[in-house]
Amino acid sequence: MALDTALEAGRSEPLRESARRAVTAVRRAEGNFAEALHEYERFRALLTDQLGGAGDVKSGR
C-alpha cells in the first residue's frame, strides 16, 4: 500500500524529490536495497536529462 502510494506520487509529479524519496524509503524498509538504489539512479538520470548537467556535488548527500 505505501509503495503504491509513493509510486503514484512519482508518476503524477516525476520531478518531485519527496515522492522519489518515499519510494526509496519504502524499498529500503522492505529490504530491497537494489531497487532503492535503482530508483535513486532513475531519478538522477531524469534530473540530468530535464535540467541538463550532472547537478551540484553537494546535493548528492
Side-chain angles (χ1 to χ4, degrees):
M1 177 94 172
L3 180 59
D4 293 334
T5 302
L7 288 170
E8 179 56 35
R11 280 190 292 271
S12 66
E13 295 186 59
L15 296 176
R16 189 171 152 200
E17 183 180 353
S18 60
R20 298 303 183 116
R21 256 193 331 243
V23 172
T24 302
V26 172
R27 296 285 194 198
R28 286 190 344 243
E30 293 173 335
N32 196 340
F33 300 104
E35 272 300 313
L37 180 58
H38 190 61
E39 179 64 28
Y40 169 80
E41 290 169 346
R42 279 192 301 255
F43 186 50
R44 185 170 185 204
L46 177 65
L47 289 176
T48 299
D49 183 54
Q50 293 295 312
L51 303 177
D56 189 350
V57 174
K58 293 178 189 173
S59 63
R61 290 187 213 173

